[in-house]
Amino acid sequence: MPSKKDILLINPWICDFTAYDFWLNPLGLLYIAAILKKHSGFSLHFIDCLDRHHPLLGRKLKTKPNGRGTFLKEEVAKPSVLKDVPRKYSRYGIPLKLFLHELEHLPSPDLVLITCTMTYWYPGVQLVVELIRKRFGQVPVILGGVYPTLMPEHAKGSCGADIIFQGPGERGILPLLREVLGDNSCPEHQFETLDEIPWPAFELLRNKKTLPVLTSRGCPFKCSFCAAPLLCKNFEQRMPSSVVSEIEYNFKKHEIRNVVFYDDTLLFKKNSHVFPFLKEIIKKNLPLVFHTPNGLHVKEIDSEMASLFKAANFQSLFLSQESLDKNLLAKACPKVSEGDLEKALVYLEKEGYSRQGINVYLMVGLPGQDISCIRESILHVRRLGARTRLAYFSPIPGTEEWQYLVENGFLARDADPLLHNKLTFPYLGWSVSPQDFESVKEMVNSPIVA
Ligand code: SF4
């Protein structure tokens, strides 16, 4: 019998000015792992550089009951392109020596798969590839995820990976592995729908109390700043029964407590999607808590929606309002209409949610966004009694806003992706000034006087 091929999957460090485990899991990589696990010819190994629960971290990191918490960090040299941003730059995640220790204890892999989410997190990939090369030499390295999908040329030229994989990984990973490994026993099967893909290989994670679930992929809307429609061309929703089965399976197998929806547009076509699976989940009466960090479409929150949230035990509600500026909404964000937020808050309050506990995302830093309108939006949310969460603008290649910045000379078409960092906009002159930026942060953090 031929020996198994060793495949090493790596979730790299985050190199940034700031990072927090806001329910971050490498879901795409774990889906790929689940596909590979179905093939008996592979032996999988996983290094999660963002593992906050590694027993050799040296200290226990604080984790909130909802699963969020801090990363370890080590300050590193700030890349010169970011020299004008007056903040410290760090590598977040497990210490370097722990990564090397993990590599020491692994067999030499036949293949390495790495993921990368934000375009401006590529330095973490560079470091991982460099260390892999030092330890294992010229093993084939494949890089996938959001960054290489949006910036394949940059990824090819900068990260040292042998193959750049664009788009959803399940379509094409097996044929690619057949080719790279020269392994004809590797199935050629390609998955066409989300429901066909095996559920994510969460068993590879150390802490399984808080796990994500993806019930749909892509987005039928097209907001001017958002990458969702670019990353997945066809919007797709799973069957409600499959969502329920996955959650129940994870509850039984991993004893999960928190379920985090990773959907970009969870509530779209709610009558045929979220309503049926929430009703089923409520019937099962599992002791779970649900969270929606990606922001919910405010206009979809009606009386029935609010009542299902409460009955199912949704605790962290994040609403995607983006702005209260009518002109901005009409231009950049067609998903929101005037009056939606007020109505949603009334429905949620009727179900027993406290307004102070409801988070409302407001965008800051969109090109040309007027500072007085940002302040007015914050004041509006405060007057409604809800909690503002600032969503900082990052120029994502291929979006309308990125195009605008390029065409108007604010950003070079081939600018270093580090300049996409969500904290650079006050220092690059296309939006609010650093002083205004600090003042809106203070405004959000100052207590509400009744
Ligand atoms: S911001 Fe939300 S609604 Fe708009 S395109 Fe992105 S995911 Fe869709």
Side-chain angles (χ1 to χ4, degrees):
M1 202 174 136
S3 62
K4 288 193 175 200
K5 303 278 187 200
D6 285 295
I7 299 185
L8 172 58
L9 301 104
I10 303 181
N11 184 32
W13 291 280
I14 293 174
C15 295
D16 205 329
F17 298 109
T18 176
Y20 183 73
D21 184 5
F22 195 74
W23 295 300
L24 296 180
N25 266 314
L27 187 60
L29 196 63
L30 295 170
Y31 264 119
I32 297 293
I35 293 171
L36 302 184
K37 280 190 82 172
K38 294 273 172 196
H39 180 42
S40 59
F42 297 146
S43 178
L44 299 191
H45 312 273
F46 177 51
I47 302 181
D48 185 0
C49 294
L50 300 182
D51 183 358
R52 300 191 310 102
H53 304 274
H54 197 295
L56 301 180
L57 277 187
R59 69 185 171 97
K60 205 164 165 19
L61 296 174
K62 272 192 191 154
T63 300
K64 293 185 175 178
N66 61 22
R68 295 173 0 203
T70 50
F71 291 117
L72 278 186
K73 68 172 175 176
E74 184 182 340
E75 190 178 341
V76 294
K78 186 162 47 179
S80 58
V81 72
L82 296 172
K83 66 180 183 329
D84 293 333
V85 182
R87 299 181 66 127
K88 290 179 178 167
Y89 192 77
S90 299
R91 184 179 57 244
Y92 292 83
I94 62 172
L96 200 54
K97 66 173 190 298
L98 184 47
F99 182 82
L100 296 173
H101 169 88
E102 295 267 310
L103 288 189
E104 285 296 321
H105 290 82
L106 285 174
S108 185
D110 295 286
L111 178 77
V112 178
L113 294 172
I114 306 176
T115 187
C116 184
T117 309
M118 297 299 189
T119 57
Y120 50 89
W121 286 350
Y122 75 85
V125 179
Q126 285 177 321
L127 180 57
V128 163
V129 176
E130 186 190 319
L131 297 172
I132 289 290
R133 296 282 186 232
K134 268 192 197 147
R135 171 84 177 99
F136 299 120
Q138 278 311 308
V139 52
V141 174
I142 300 178
L143 173 63
V146 174
Y147 157 59
T149 298
L150 293 173
M151 304 198 71
E153 291 310 317
H154 186 274
K156 259 179 223 160
S158 308
C159 291
D162 300 291
I163 296 171
I164 299 302
F165 192 99
Q166 286 180 265
E170 77 278 2
R171 309 208 175 123
I173 190 66
L174 290 173
L176 179 61
L177 262 57
R178 232 175 124 88
E179 191 187 318
V180 175
L181 296 172
D183 178 357
N184 289 338
S185 69
C186 177
E188 277 186 288
H189 183 67
Q190 297 207 33
F191 299 89
E192 295 304 330
T193 67
L194 269 180
D195 276 318
E196 284 179 47
I197 312 172
W199 296 333
F202 290 132
E203 56 276 17
L204 294 176
L205 295 175
R206 209 172 304 273
N207 184 339
K208 295 177 266 290
K209 288 274 169 268
T210 302
L211 292 179
V213 63
L214 189 71
T215 79
S216 63
R217 193 161 54 180
C219 178
F221 298 95
K222 207 169 183 298
C223 299
S224 63
F225 50 85
C226 180
L230 303 172
L231 292 170
C232 192
K233 305 277 184 243
N234 302 315
F235 174 66
E236 197 187 343
Q237 287 178 315
R238 287 173 59 186
M239 280 168 13
S241 57
S242 151
V243 174
V244 176
S245 302
E246 182 187 335
I247 292 173
E248 194 174 23
Y249 171 82
N250 286 330
F251 173 71
K252 287 186 179 153
K253 170 138 184 157
H254 302 304
E255 300 183 344
I256 53 168
R257 285 289 168 267
N258 294 292
V259 178
V260 183
F261 288 99
Y262 270 23
D263 302 61
D264 287 314
T265 174
L266 179 67
L267 308 188
F268 189 69
K269 293 193 178 163
K270 60 188 176 208
N271 291 313
S272 60
H273 187 64
V274 72
F275 279 3
F277 77 68
L278 284 189
K279 284 176 184 169
E280 203 47 42
I281 280 171
I282 292 162
K283 266 197 233 155
K284 291 189 180 289
N285 198 23
L286 305 174
L288 296 171
V289 182
F290 294 91
H291 309 278
T292 64
N294 279 359
L296 297 168
H297 286 189
V298 185
K299 71 156 58 98
E300 301 299 343
I301 301 178
D302 55 16
S303 167
E304 186 172 8
M305 189 76 261
S307 143
L308 289 172
F309 282 158
K310 195 65 187 174
N313 203 16
F314 276 58
Q315 283 188 6
S316 317
L317 289 174
F318 290 80
L319 312 187
S320 282
Q321 174 65 33
E322 318 300 8
S323 176
L324 273 304
D325 175 354
K326 277 185 262 174
N327 294 332
L328 183 143
L329 289 178
K331 177 179 157 283
C333 204
K335 65 183 175 175
V336 187
S337 311
E338 210 179 345
D340 290 342
L341 180 61
E342 286 78 355
K343 280 190 242 161
L345 290 174
V346 168
Y347 291 129
L348 291 169
E349 196 172 36
K350 268 195 194 148
E351 292 301 327
Y353 285 100
S354 129
R355 288 188 176 225
Q356 290 97 331
I358 299 170
N359 303 280
V360 178
Y361 283 127
L362 294 178
M363 289 289 303
V364 178
L366 280 169
Q369 196 180 11
D370 188 286
I371 186 67
S372 60
C373 292
I374 298 172
R375 290 203 179 100
E376 189 41 51
S377 294
I378 296 171
L379 282 175
H380 191 110
V381 172
R382 286 169 76 99
R383 282 193 290 265
L384 292 173
R387 178 172 183 200
T388 298
R389 292 277 188 158
L390 295 178
Y392 303 142
F393 170 71
S394 161
I396 300 173
T399 58
E400 265 178 58
E401 299 296 346
W402 178 84
Q403 195 68 24
Y404 168 87
L405 291 172
V406 169
E407 284 169 5
N408 289 279
F410 292 110
L411 193 67
R413 190 170 290 281
D414 59 353
D416 191 317
L418 291 170
L419 293 174
H420 304 163
N421 189 296
K422 67 183 176 14
L423 287 175
T424 56
F425 67 83
Y427 307 96
L428 297 177
W430 65 62
S431 183
V432 298
S433 69
Q435 295 74 19
D436 283 338
F437 177 50
E438 290 306 319
S439 78
V440 292
K441 280 203 301 183
E442 265 173 43
M443 199 174 161
V444 167
N445 294 330
S446 62
I448 299 176
V449 182

